[in-house]
Amino acid sequence: MHQDNANLIAGRLATAFGLFLLSCSVSTYSFSRNFEGGISQEFWHYAEIGRNILEGRGYRTASLFPYTLALLDEKGIPFEEDTLAPVLDRFPLQAYLTAGAQKIWGIDDTAPSVLSVLLLGLCVVATYLAGCLLGIPLESAAAAALLALNPSFQRGFVLWGLPDFGFCLATLLALLSLCGRMAKNEPRDRPSYWLMTGALSALAWLSRSNFILWLPLFAAALWIPRAGRKTRFIYYFAGFCSLCAPAWVYNLRWYGSINPPTMAWNLAHQVVSETYPLWEYRTYQVTDVIISHFPALMQKFFVLLTRH
């Protein structure tokens, strides 16, 4: 019995490694054929912020969009070449991962490129292992292979250095942990387990702050089983808040909210203004967009929902 289990685990790990190599190989081929440098805003901006972190200048940037400059001017925050500006339109985890990649592979296009390749490969592996934990290894292997071969990811996202892969990976792991399917012997009753689940959720928020939209679903899942409800809530949110707290303090200091302003201008796009909001010297508030432009916001929601 133990030998059978060992063989099963070894086989699944070998499959996961093979899928990881498949994804990385396709990504490498895509870079060799299609990479034209850091042409996306995210690629070069995260690289610049990562370089500032490595140079000891902190989580700051010399690259400002008109929207960000309007925010700083509104709050009376000076933008000086020596001190740089606080980062209000990017996400911290991707910036620090980029800094780590630059520490290993150097401060050029290689570092964010390799990081993007590795994160997509890990998303593929996580997809397969998730299915194995749910008892559908063959289906999950097919899903992971399709993810590794997805033209949208391999021809687009992986070349652009977006934070989406890190967000996808952290959110998937947090959901699996929330369901209590990553370990045996009822680990859901252990405080350390819920600390870990909250920490994984925090990594998702640090990758993309719109993870805040998922929190009500997580809270509902935590609430439904009565037994151990208090323990789950306390330790889950302890793990979540402890990792997010530094970023919340940062955002409160420079923006006045625990969430960065990215949600505001994303909501405003094609609702308040057809122009990409980052390129406009004006500010938006989430509540203003929702209350004053609710019909247009709902129209945007249904148009995008039916389109994709």
Side-chain angles (χ1 to χ4, degrees):
M1 179 64 71
H2 291 296
Q3 185 62 40
D4 291 341
N5 288 336
N7 291 337
L8 178 64
I9 293 172
R12 289 181 174 177
L13 289 177
T15 303
F17 184 65
L19 288 165
F20 178 77
L21 290 180
L22 172 65
S23 177
C24 292
S25 298
V26 176
S27 297
T28 302
Y29 177 78
S30 180
F31 267 96
S32 69
R33 294 293 300 272
N34 306 306
F35 186 64
E36 299 175 349
I39 59 174
S40 73
Q41 298 170 9
E42 290 83 359
F43 190 102
W44 60 258
H45 203 182
Y46 280 116
E48 186 257 335
I49 297 168
R51 185 182 69 245
N52 293 333
I53 293 171
L54 282 184
E55 292 176 351
R57 307 182 79 177
Y59 184 53
R60 301 182 76 86
T61 179
S63 304
L64 291 183
F65 297 98
Y67 171 79
T68 318
L69 185 60
L71 280 175
L72 296 178
D73 289 346
E74 182 179 72
K75 297 185 178 299
I77 300 171
F79 171 44
E80 300 173 359
E81 185 177 355
D82 293 336
T83 58
L84 305 181
V87 179
L88 297 178
D89 40 36
R90 298 297 173 213
F91 305 112
L93 185 58
Q94 183 72 12
Y96 279 91
L97 287 176
T98 302
Q102 290 173 328
K103 183 72 173 178
I104 299 172
W105 289 290
I107 303 178
D108 56 24
D109 288 348
T110 303
S113 301
V114 173
L115 175 63
S116 193
V117 170
L118 293 177
L119 286 175
L120 176 55
L122 290 174
C123 286
V124 169
V125 171
T127 300
Y128 169 67
L129 294 180
C132 291
L133 292 168
L134 295 172
I136 48 172
L138 294 179
E139 293 87 342
S140 66
L146 289 173
L147 182 61
L149 299 173
N150 187 305
S152 178
F153 291 156
Q154 295 289 13
R155 182 61 179 83
F157 278 46
V158 78
L159 302 175
W160 300 334
L162 304 179
D164 299 60
F165 294 142
F167 173 73
C168 173
L169 178 62
T171 303
L172 177 58
L173 293 176
L175 284 169
L176 288 170
S177 184
L178 180 71
C179 295
R181 298 187 182 273
M182 294 182 66
K184 299 180 180 179
N185 302 320
E186 297 299 326
R188 291 171 288 181
D189 296 331
R190 302 174 187 171
S192 60
Y193 184 85
W194 291 109
L195 281 171
M196 177 190 70
T197 307
L200 289 170
S201 300
L203 292 178
W205 183 84
L206 291 167
S207 298
R208 287 190 68 93
S209 59
N210 54 4
F211 179 80
I212 204 78
L213 300 174
W214 290 68
L215 269 185
L217 300 177
F218 275 69
L222 291 167
W223 179 263
I224 291 172
R226 285 192 172 187
R229 179 183 293 168
K230 183 178 180 180
T231 298
R232 289 194 299 273
F233 264 87
I234 290 175
Y235 286 98
Y236 173 83
F237 283 103
F240 182 78
C241 294
S242 61
L243 262 68
C244 290
W248 291 345
V249 171
Y250 186 95
N251 291 334
L252 281 169
R253 178 185 179 187
W254 298 115
Y255 177 55
S257 171
I258 61 173
N259 251 9
T262 49
M263 182 177 292
W265 63 258
N266 271 298
L267 287 176
H269 189 210
Q270 297 179 334
V271 173
V272 181
S273 173
E274 291 296 321
T275 305
Y276 194 50
L278 272 179
W279 298 109
E280 293 183 311
Y281 183 82
R282 61 178 297 184
T283 61
Y284 301 94
Q285 296 294 329
V286 172
T287 53
D288 292 341
V289 176
I290 293 175
I291 294 173
S292 303
H293 303 273
F294 187 75
L297 186 63
M298 288 298 97
Q299 181 181 1
K300 173 185 174 181
F301 171 79
F302 286 109
V303 167
L304 294 178
L305 181 66
T306 54
R307 183 183 301 171
H308 300 291

